[in-house]
Amino acid sequence: MVEKYNVRTDLALEEKERFESDNVEIPGVLLQEQYDEEKDIRITTVTIETENGAKIMGKPVGTYITLEAPKLIDADEDFHSEISEELLKYIRFLIRHEDMETYSVLIVGLGNRQVTPDALGPYVVDHLNITRHVIREYGKYAVGDAKVKLVSAIVPGVMGQTGMESVEIIRGVVNETEPDFVIVVDALAARSSKRLNRTIQIADTGIHPGSGVGNHRNAVNEETVGVPVIAIGVPTVVDAATIVNDSMENLIAALETSEALRGVGVVMQGYNAAEKYELVKELISPHLNGMFVTPKDIDETVNRISFTISEALNKLFTA
Amino acid sequence: MVEKYNVRTDLALEEKERFESDNVEIPGVLLQEQYDEEKDIRITTVTIETENGAKIMGKPVGTYITLEAPKLIDADEDFHSEISEELLKYIRFLIRHEDMETYSVLIVGLGNRQVTPDALGPYVVDHLNITRHVIREYGKYAVGDAKVKLVSAIVPGVMGQTGMESVEIIRGVVNETEPDFVIVVDALAARSSKRLNRTIQIADTGIHPGSGVGNHRNAVNEETVGVPVIAIGVPTVVDAATIVNDSMENLIAALETSEALRGVGVVMQGYNAAEKYELVKELISPHLNGMFVTPKDIDETVNRISFTISEALNKLFTA
Amino acid sequence: MVEKYNVRTDLALEEKERFESDNVEIPGVLLQEQYDEEKDIRITTVTIETENGAKIMGKPVGTYITLEAPKLIDADEDFHSEISEELLKYIRFLIRHEDMETYSVLIVGLGNRQVTPDALGPYVVDHLNITRHVIREYGKYAVGDAKVKLVSAIVPGVMGQTGMESVEIIRGVVNETEPDFVIVVDALAARSSKRLNRTIQIADTGIHPGSGVGNHRNAVNEETVGVPVIAIGVPTVVDAATIVNDSMENLIAALETSEALRGVGVVMQGYNAAEKYELVKELISPHLNGMFVTPKDIDETVNRISFTISEALNKLFTA
Amino acid sequence: MVEKYNVRTDLALEEKERFESDNVEIPGVLLQEQYDEEKDIRITTVTIETENGAKIMGKPVGTYITLEAPKLIDADEDFHSEISEELLKYIRFLIRHEDMETYSVLIVGLGNRQVTPDALGPYVVDHLNITRHVIREYGKYAVGDAKVKLVSAIVPGVMGQTGMESVEIIRGVVNETEPDFVIVVDALAARSSKRLNRTIQIADTGIHPGSGVGNHRNAVNEETVGVPVIAIGVPTVVDAATIVNDSMENLIAALETSEALRGVGVVMQGYNAAEKYELVKELISPHLNGMFVTPKDIDETVNRISFTISEALNKLFTA
């Protein structure tokens, strides 16, 4: 199994694709696909069942549901409403509290409100119907329903603003307020720019920044916060180095295979994968570290998708 | 001792003034004043020493330092810089860690960032130099100083946004990150509109919303969060009912004492304080509950003072 | 016709009420009322037909439609949707372009985005579907409709931020871009706190800050900008002095009429309206000038109503 | 003179560098450099003197002063203060009103406040001392100085929000308020990521988006608005396609020159510049159009530099 160079992605779907060309099955990893042609919505479920599968995938054991919908970037309210319904279905599936009449949930809006593509989590929290304080003060009939859910939310901020890991804040708040489970919403990094703002990933594994690249925040999962953690993420950026890397791989591949360039091909074949990676790395500007790529209309897109996700959550908790 | 009608104030200074006309000492309460005529800065220290004093004052035992400076509302950078220095002095006095080479502190920006006069706490946090994560990762020499302080900060949001009491979030974060002490910054309600945005109160007692009016958030103090809590507050609003109340008291007083209105005076004297309070309350619109009074240029004022306070804190932690 | 003391209101409805107790008709001013009991929506149309009527009312000749709906402060999406439909109806009535297949309109969001109750106009503009640039570049079929409207918008900011009168900016932009008419959206001052955030006024007269109190911005109307100006306003604040004034009038009235206070009554009657006004004015703190009263949850209310108004406008321009 | 592939830059300095390797002079273009080693500040003045020079450079005739200071990205207040002084000097030089006791100036903060790296212009305006309205109402002695400047400012927003070209709004406002000149502040696109947030360009030519790439906003210059236009810009983004392009050029260059790859070199030399450009373009994802690259801490950097620029302007107008 030949792996492509390891570039950052937060999407299990994209990790899976790294192995795709080989068309082999990864032991311990299941893949299921569904495609709604009319709406152009693709649902991919990646289930990592074993620790071995987790190791190969670089992601923890669990279920990752990806919803891909190119029309997510459009300003079509009806379509966003449909996506909310879809989303609601899969979140409910993963929270496994669907049969409970009542439960309490803490929603965490991760990310930096001051950096547009990273503001998804905070924006989702802005639109939520918060009920925990009302129900605690006036009882569950105050919100007109016996099957009520206690919804609380927090926007912890990023480490540069707080001096704390997000997981420290979340664990502290979970210990104090004892929700049945946590939902974290976060902006993700994709490997492919074509997935930006068109994809939503829902996972029952929490968030593991370390599985990506260069980020020393700790994981936010059942192990670290003490209750199950559902993660909802939307890729809004691609690492700058990733985009350059991909393009240069394309160039090398073209050189290797081109009829017209047979001579080059011969020479390039003298390089193994690692050497080619080194060559590429050398040619990428060191200034690209800590840089990301994002679309110019990211403000509108993040606004819209944050609204769509909060709608799904608001419906989920009143259903 | 005849008390004026009980209207809301978060300032110990104003509580003290309720008894002023009688010119008596309150047992267990000390008052010290200093006035810098040149800069027009008045420092008043109210020390509540006994539980009896606390009961009379409606505020817990502790030290309340009030800095009044009419020029705080001006856009004079040099003056704000001087105030930062003054502030720094009194905060250092109250934290009682002044002789420690190193300590860790959590700054909490209370209030609602979305409502201008309540955004003081969040704005102060925006301007802080956060260092805890850097020192934990790279050691204290990374910030170029052995006498380093570990500074962390959080903006918990308000209950309508989070579903949680601020104290729940703060206690959770304190338990996780174990700062030596906490500084909470909050917008306050004054009794007198002439104090708005011209006054800063520093207290070693934490925040006790219950001592004010109609606010069921719990106290944030050493008892509830486990470490000492210093509170820095600036009155940015007056309760609408307070302002009406005060004006009507003035009217009644005028009626009672006016030479021209001797006849009225006679009749009004037939009312005792409680009856007059009832009369006034009846005439205040019920729509004024939950309303506040604030100046039209509150955006500029809150911006400026938040900067002044964060400057004081930044200097304190690097000194 | 005895007038109450002149306090600030931007609502024609409230100007009319000043004369109500006398139950007389004002020459040149028509009043029409409609009440939908089921939805608890009251529509009042004040038509000022003559210059004499305008003089008495302190507002220019024109039509003022007021929609009062106590449930506007609730977070009920369906109700807000109904209000959007109502609003749409009355705006369409006043713009008098209803029979035009195509027109161009400039929406102006007046007010200060940094001061929550004054941010209504800017927030409405945030939610608008802007089309002028698309239609100019790609033609009217680009937006899928031949009956297309060219929608442009601007948030001019307030004089303290720009150094310019709003009318200077608007007139400049109108001269350059030549819209068929202008719609200005602004936060208003009411006289009565019970109308705050529950009332929407639509007028074909533009905005006349001078008709209120203490505001030297110039009028924004057909005369000053060259095209018809529709104004949509929501009262979000009451002048602090107004609230105090009203309460003190109530007190004086109580003193004058109370059986128990007959002696006082006699004396107060020695004062005429002007003298009583002077007495009241003297007793109101000078610090109240430039202060306003607004509810604590103004952030949520302004968010919701701005969305409701922008929905009405978006529907209007695609219908 | 062999040109590199045409990639977008708003910096005259970078246009000049395209020709650098050839070490030739461009007719009609002067270059002056100054370097302060101690502060590590480099000042480069590109003067385009002739229309021919303008054609080669792809930028209009005029003076472009670039200040490069790597320490601009640091949070060092003293250094930012020094940069303000430098900046002030060069802006004063270009405005050519330095000898006037009094003048009026309109500052325009271009860009989208909602997209962090594009918010530079709006943030600069937030920090300005606006005086026009005060001087017009109270006379020039109201601000304590006879040599007073009338400062006004506007944040026009971007076309997607307003439906109007920025130049339409600016021209309208200039016609109405007749400032002596205009200063536009805008975030720029650089070609090299190493210049991001470390460079400030001041030009007396206004803004010419068309000279860059894919942007159909019209120029803002003396010709289009009627008064001289000074432009202050800071590169905060690189076009995504540019970064990929540069890296791939590096790869191709490496292949062509590498000792170890002599065989490849031979074949690549069979391609001319245009053919190589086509090859590269083919391999860059079409999804990169409309995407930009920016650093993760762009919020802090833009905040800091906007403050530095506004300080320079505030000092300029009170000097």
Side-chain angles (χ1 to χ4, degrees):
Chain A
M1 208 160 0
V2 176
E3 227 187 273
K4 288 198 189 177
Y5 316 127
N6 187 29
V7 288
R8 175 174 179 193
T9 176
D10 291 324
L11 296 174
L13 177 65
E14 291 189 335
E15 288 293 349
K16 185 69 190 58
E17 285 174 346
R18 286 193 296 145
F19 308 97
E20 220 152 60
S21 53
D22 310 290
N23 216 351
V24 296
E25 282 190 15
I26 305 171
V29 179
L30 292 185
L31 188 74
Q32 259 184 307
E33 277 196 21
Q34 258 179 284
Y35 180 57
D36 181 332
E37 201 169 341
E38 192 195 345
K39 298 180 187 167
D40 195 10
I41 301 177
R42 182 181 307 275
I43 307 293
T44 313
T45 306
V46 175
T47 315
I48 303 181
E49 294 188 313
T50 64
E51 283 305 328
N52 193 34
K55 205 172 155 193
I56 295 171
M57 291 284 287
K59 299 223 170 291
V61 166
T63 303
Y64 302 81
I65 301 173
T66 310
L67 185 158
E68 290 175 275
K71 285 199 290 180
L72 256 182
I73 58 163
D74 296 340
D76 176 342
E77 272 187 41
D78 292 337
F79 185 72
H80 277 260
S81 194
E82 283 177 30
I83 292 287
S84 279
E85 292 291 343
E86 286 286 308
L87 212 50
L88 163 57
K89 211 165 67 186
Y90 295 108
I91 303 171
R92 178 177 286 145
F93 173 69
L94 287 188
I95 63 177
R96 286 148 223 245
H97 284 73
E98 80 232 73
D99 53 344
M100 293 177 65
E101 284 227 331
T102 182
Y103 55 75
S104 65
V105 54
L106 172 69
I107 318 289
V108 179
L110 288 178
N112 186 349
R113 190 189 282 280
Q114 305 306 317
V115 175
T116 318
D118 204 24
L120 179 84
Y123 287 4
V124 166
V125 166
D126 288 350
H127 301 309
L128 290 176
N129 295 336
I130 302 300
T131 57
R132 179 178 177 269
H133 59 304
V134 181
I135 296 166
R136 275 164 57 101
E137 190 155 354
Y138 302 106
K140 60 189 181 179
Y141 295 98
V143 294
D145 194 356
K147 296 187 189 174
V148 86
K149 322 305 187 239
L150 285 87
V151 182
S152 56
I154 193 163
V155 174
V158 295
M159 205 158 67
Q161 295 161 348
T162 65
M164 300 179 278
E165 305 276 358
S166 295
V167 69
E168 293 181 289
I169 298 171
I170 300 167
R171 186 164 50 219
V173 171
V174 167
N175 283 344
E176 270 309 308
T177 62
E178 302 185 332
D180 291 313
F181 63 100
V182 167
I183 296 179
V184 293
V185 185
D186 200 6
L188 306 179
R191 177 197 199 118
S192 161
S193 60
K194 75 169 199 242
R195 287 224 168 75
L196 292 188
N197 305 313
R198 292 168 180 83
T199 308
I200 304 175
Q201 175 177 273
I202 314 151
D204 58 5
T205 58
I207 297 262
H208 299 77
S211 68
V213 150
N215 202 318
H216 305 286
R217 289 177 300 163
N218 295 348
V220 180
N221 58 17
E222 182 158 8
E223 196 185 329
T224 59
V225 308
V227 298
V229 179
I230 305 297
I232 303 176
V234 175
T236 60
V237 301
V238 176
D239 263 27
T242 302
I243 272 188
V244 172
N245 208 339
D246 277 2
S247 303
M248 293 177 77
E249 278 180 25
N250 291 346
L251 176 58
I252 289 173
L255 294 176
E256 285 177 343
T257 58
S258 160
E259 285 296 315
L261 287 170
R262 223 169 282 173
V264 191
V266 171
V267 180
M268 291 300 291
Q269 279 155 24
Y271 285 73
N272 64 25
E275 284 166 340
K276 273 185 272 185
Y277 179 58
E278 280 310 303
L279 177 64
V280 165
K281 228 178 76 178
E282 218 168 78
L283 299 167
I284 295 178
S285 162
H287 289 282
L288 288 188
N289 285 333
M291 297 222 176
F292 63 81
V293 179
T294 204
K296 276 168 194 167
D297 61 352
I298 185 68
D299 55 330
E300 294 167 35
T301 321
V302 166
N303 266 333
R304 261 198 302 271
I305 302 187
S306 70
F307 193 74
T308 305
I309 294 175
S310 61
E311 277 300 286
L313 293 172
N314 285 334
K315 281 179 203 162
L316 177 61
F317 302 139
T318 51
Chain B
M1 205 159 0
V2 176
E3 226 186 273
K4 287 197 189 178
Y5 316 128
N6 187 29
V7 288
R8 174 172 180 195
T9 176
D10 291 324
L11 296 174
L13 177 65
E14 291 189 335
E15 288 293 349
K16 184 71 189 58
E17 285 174 346
R18 286 194 297 144
F19 308 97
E20 219 151 61
S21 55
D22 309 290
N23 216 352
V24 298
E25 282 191 16
I26 305 172
V29 179
L30 292 185
L31 189 73
Q32 261 185 304
E33 277 195 20
Q34 260 178 281
Y35 180 58
D36 181 331
E37 200 168 342
E38 193 194 345
K39 298 180 188 168
D40 195 10
I41 301 177
R42 180 181 307 275
I43 307 292
T44 312
T45 305
V46 175
T47 314
I48 304 181
E49 295 188 313
T50 64
E51 283 306 326
N52 192 35
K55 206 171 152 193
I56 295 171
M57 291 284 286
K59 299 224 171 290
V61 166
T63 303
Y64 303 80
I65 301 173
T66 309
L67 185 158
E68 290 174 274
K71 286 198 290 179
L72 256 182
I73 58 163
D74 296 340
D76 177 343
E77 272 186 43
D78 293 337
F79 184 72
H80 278 260
S81 194
E82 283 177 32
I83 291 288
S84 279
E85 292 292 343
E86 285 286 307
L87 211 49
L88 163 57
K89 210 164 68 186
Y90 295 108
I91 303 172
R92 177 177 286 145
F93 172 69
L94 286 188
I95 63 177
R96 286 145 223 250
H97 284 73
E98 81 233 71
D99 52 345
M100 293 176 64
E101 285 228 331
T102 181
Y103 55 75
S104 65
V105 54
L106 172 69
I107 318 289
V108 179
L110 289 178
N112 185 349
R113 190 189 281 281
Q114 305 306 316
V115 175
T116 318
D118 203 23
L120 179 84
Y123 286 5
V124 166
V125 166
D126 287 351
H127 301 309
L128 291 176
N129 295 336
I130 302 299
T131 57
R132 178 178 178 268
H133 59 304
V134 181
I135 296 166
R136 274 164 56 100
E137 191 155 353
Y138 303 106
K140 59 189 183 180
Y141 295 98
V143 294
D145 194 356
K147 296 188 188 174
V148 86
K149 322 305 188 242
L150 284 87
V151 182
S152 56
I154 194 162
V155 174
V158 293
M159 205 159 64
Q161 294 160 350
T162 66
M164 299 179 278
E165 305 275 359
S166 294
V167 69
E168 293 181 289
I169 298 171
I170 299 167
R171 186 164 50 217
V173 171
V174 167
N175 283 344
E176 270 309 308
T177 62
E178 302 183 332
D180 291 314
F181 64 99
V182 167
I183 296 179
V184 294
V185 185
D186 200 7
L188 305 179
R191 177 198 199 117
S192 161
S193 59
K194 75 168 197 244
R195 288 224 168 75
L196 292 188
N197 305 313
R198 292 169 180 82
T199 307
I200 304 176
Q201 176 177 273
I202 314 152
D204 59 4
T205 58
I207 296 263
H208 299 76
S211 67
V213 149
N215 202 318
H216 305 285
R217 290 178 299 162
N218 296 347
V220 179
N221 58 17
E222 181 158 8
E223 195 184 330
T224 60
V225 307
V227 297
V229 180
I230 305 297
I232 302 176
V234 175
T236 59
V237 300
V238 176
D239 262 26
T242 302
I243 272 188
V244 172
N245 208 340
D246 277 2
S247 302
M248 293 176 78
E249 277 181 25
N250 290 347
L251 176 58
I252 289 172
L255 294 177
E256 284 177 345
T257 58
S258 159
E259 286 295 316
L261 287 170
R262 223 169 282 173
V264 192
V266 172
V267 180
M268 290 300 290
Q269 280 155 22
Y271 285 72
N272 63 27
E275 283 167 340
K276 273 184 272 185
Y277 179 59
E278 280 310 303
L279 177 64
V280 165
K281 227 178 76 177
E282 219 169 77
L283 298 167
I284 295 178
S285 162
H287 289 281
L288 289 188
N289 287 332
M291 297 219 176
F292 62 81
V293 179
T294 204
K296 274 168 194 168
D297 61 353
I298 186 67
D299 54 331
E300 294 167 34
T301 321
V302 166
N303 267 334
R304 260 196 304 269
I305 302 188
S306 70
F307 193 74
T308 304
I309 294 175
S310 62
E311 277 301 286
L313 293 172
N314 286 334
K315 281 178 203 162
L316 177 61
F317 302 139
T318 51
Chain C
M1 206 157 6
V2 176
E3 228 188 271
K4 288 197 190 180
Y5 315 129
N6 187 29
V7 288
R8 177 175 178 195
T9 176
D10 290 325
L11 297 174
L13 177 65
E14 292 189 335
E15 289 293 350
K16 184 70 188 59
E17 284 174 346
R18 287 194 295 145
F19 309 96
E20 219 152 61
S21 54
D22 310 290
N23 217 352
V24 297
E25 282 191 15
I26 305 171
V29 179
L30 292 186
L31 188 74
Q32 259 185 307
E33 277 195 22
Q34 258 179 284
Y35 179 58
D36 181 332
E37 200 169 341
E38 193 194 344
K39 298 181 186 166
D40 195 10
I41 301 177
R42 181 181 308 275
I43 307 294
T44 312
T45 306
V46 175
T47 314
I48 303 180
E49 295 188 314
T50 64
E51 283 306 327
N52 192 34
K55 204 172 156 193
I56 295 171
M57 291 284 287
K59 301 223 169 289
V61 166
T63 304
Y64 302 81
I65 301 173
T66 309
L67 185 158
E68 290 175 276
K71 285 199 290 179
L72 256 181
I73 58 163
D74 297 339
D76 177 342
E77 273 187 42
D78 292 337
F79 185 73
H80 278 260
S81 195
E82 283 177 31
I83 292 287
S84 278
E85 291 293 341
E86 287 286 307
L87 211 49
L88 163 56
K89 212 164 67 187
Y90 296 108
I91 302 171
R92 177 177 288 144
F93 172 69
L94 286 188
I95 64 177
R96 286 149 223 248
H97 283 73
E98 78 232 75
D99 52 344
M100 293 177 65
E101 284 227 332
T102 182
Y103 54 76
S104 65
V105 55
L106 171 69
I107 319 288
V108 179
L110 289 177
N112 185 348
R113 190 189 280 282
Q114 305 305 318
V115 175
T116 318
D118 203 23
L120 180 85
Y123 286 4
V124 166
V125 167
D126 287 349
H127 302 309
L128 290 176
N129 295 336
I130 301 300
T131 57
R132 178 178 177 268
H133 59 305
V134 181
I135 296 166
R136 275 164 57 101
E137 190 155 355
Y138 302 106
K140 61 189 182 180
Y141 295 97
V143 295
D145 193 358
K147 296 186 188 173
V148 86
K149 323 302 187 242
L150 285 86
V151 182
S152 56
I154 194 163
V155 173
V158 294
M159 204 158 66
Q161 295 160 349
T162 65
M164 299 179 278
E165 305 275 358
S166 295
V167 70
E168 292 180 291
I169 298 171
I170 299 167
R171 186 164 50 219
V173 171
V174 166
N175 283 344
E176 270 308 308
T177 63
E178 301 185 334
D180 292 312
F181 62 101
V182 167
I183 296 180
V184 294
V185 185
D186 200 6
L188 305 178
R191 180 201 197 115
S192 161
S193 59
K194 75 168 199 243
R195 287 223 168 75
L196 292 188
N197 305 312
R198 292 169 181 82
T199 308
I200 303 174
Q201 175 176 274
I202 314 151
D204 60 4
T205 58
I207 297 263
H208 299 76
S211 67
V213 150
N215 203 318
H216 304 286
R217 290 178 298 164
N218 295 348
V220 180
N221 58 17
E222 182 158 8
E223 195 185 330
T224 60
V225 307
V227 297
V229 179
I230 305 297
I232 303 176
V234 175
T236 60
V237 300
V238 177
D239 263 27
T242 303
I243 273 189
V244 172
N245 207 340
D246 277 2
S247 302
M248 292 177 79
E249 278 181 26
N250 290 347
L251 176 59
I252 290 171
L255 294 176
E256 285 177 344
T257 58
S258 159
E259 286 294 316
L261 288 170
R262 222 169 284 171
V264 191
V266 171
V267 181
M268 291 300 292
Q269 279 156 24
Y271 285 73
N272 64 26
E275 284 167 340
K276 273 185 273 185
Y277 179 59
E278 279 310 303
L279 177 63
V280 165
K281 229 178 76 177
E282 218 169 78
L283 298 167
I284 295 179
S285 162
H287 289 281
L288 289 189
N289 286 333
M291 297 220 177
F292 63 81
V293 179
T294 204
K296 276 168 195 168
D297 61 352
I298 186 68
D299 55 330
E300 296 167 33
T301 320
V302 165
N303 266 332
R304 260 197 303 271
I305 301 187
S306 70
F307 192 75
T308 304
I309 294 174
S310 61
E311 277 300 287
L313 293 172
N314 285 334
K315 281 178 204 163
L316 177 61
F317 302 139
T318 52
Chain D
M1 205 159 1
V2 176
E3 227 187 272
K4 287 196 191 180
Y5 316 127
N6 187 28
V7 288
R8 176 173 179 196
T9 176
D10 291 325
L11 297 173
L13 177 64
E14 292 189 334
E15 288 293 351
K16 184 72 188 59
E17 283 174 345
R18 286 193 297 144
F19 308 98
E20 217 152 63
S21 55
D22 310 291
N23 218 350
V24 298
E25 281 191 17
I26 305 173
V29 179
L30 292 186
L31 188 75
Q32 259 185 306
E33 276 195 20
Q34 259 180 284
Y35 180 58
D36 181 331
E37 200 169 342
E38 192 194 345
K39 297 181 187 168
D40 194 11
I41 301 177
R42 182 181 307 275
I43 306 292
T44 312
T45 306
V46 176
T47 314
I48 304 180
E49 295 189 312
T50 64
E51 282 306 326
N52 192 35
K55 204 172 155 192
I56 295 171
M57 290 285 286
K59 300 224 170 289
V61 166
T63 304
Y64 303 80
I65 301 173
T66 309
L67 185 157
E68 289 175 276
K71 285 198 289 179
L72 255 181
I73 58 163
D74 297 339
D76 177 342
E77 272 186 42
D78 292 337
F79 184 73
H80 278 260
S81 193
E82 284 177 30
I83 292 288
S84 279
E85 292 292 343
E86 286 286 307
L87 211 49
L88 164 57
K89 210 164 68 187
Y90 296 108
I91 302 171
R92 177 176 287 145
F93 173 69
L94 286 188
I95 64 178
R96 286 147 223 249
H97 283 72
E98 80 235 72
D99 53 344
M100 293 176 64
E101 285 228 331
T102 182
Y103 54 76
S104 64
V105 54
L106 171 69
I107 319 288
V108 180
L110 288 178
N112 185 349
R113 190 189 280 281
Q114 305 305 317
V115 174
T116 318
D118 203 23
L120 180 84
Y123 286 5
V124 166
V125 167
D126 288 350
H127 301 309
L128 291 176
N129 295 336
I130 302 300
T131 58
R132 178 178 178 268
H133 59 305
V134 181
I135 296 166
R136 276 163 56 100
E137 191 155 354
Y138 303 105
K140 61 188 183 180
Y141 295 97
V143 295
D145 195 357
K147 296 187 187 173
V148 87
K149 323 305 188 242
L150 285 85
V151 182
S152 55
I154 194 162
V155 174
V158 294
M159 205 159 65
Q161 295 160 351
T162 65
M164 300 179 279
E165 305 276 359
S166 294
V167 70
E168 292 180 291
I169 298 171
I170 299 167
R171 186 164 52 218
V173 171
V174 167
N175 283 343
E176 270 308 309
T177 63
E178 301 184 331
D180 292 312
F181 62 100
V182 167
I183 296 180
V184 293
V185 185
D186 200 7
L188 304 178
R191 178 201 198 115
S192 160
S193 59
K194 75 168 199 245
R195 286 223 170 75
L196 292 187
N197 305 312
R198 292 169 181 81
T199 308
I200 304 175
Q201 175 177 274
I202 314 152
D204 59 4
T205 58
I207 297 263
H208 299 76
S211 67
V213 150
N215 203 319
H216 304 285
R217 289 176 299 163
N218 295 347
V220 180
N221 58 17
E222 181 157 9
E223 195 184 331
T224 60
V225 309
V227 297
V229 180
I230 306 296
I232 303 176
V234 176
T236 60
V237 301
V238 176
D239 263 26
T242 301
I243 272 187
V244 172
N245 208 341
D246 278 1
S247 303
M248 293 177 78
E249 278 182 25
N250 291 346
L251 177 58
I252 289 172
L255 293 177
E256 284 177 345
T257 59
S258 159
E259 286 294 317
L261 287 170
R262 222 168 283 171
V264 191
V266 171
V267 180
M268 290 301 290
Q269 280 157 23
Y271 285 72
N272 64 25
E275 283 166 341
K276 273 186 272 184
Y277 179 57
E278 280 310 303
L279 178 63
V280 165
K281 228 178 75 176
E282 219 168 76
L283 298 168
I284 294 178
S285 162
H287 289 280
L288 289 188
N289 286 332
M291 297 221 176
F292 62 80
V293 179
T294 204
K296 276 168 193 166
D297 60 353
I298 185 68
D299 54 331
E300 295 167 33
T301 321
V302 166
N303 267 333
R304 258 195 306 268
I305 301 186
S306 69
F307 193 75
T308 304
I309 294 175
S310 61
E311 278 300 287
L313 293 172
N314 286 334
K315 281 179 203 162
L316 177 61
F317 301 139
T318 52

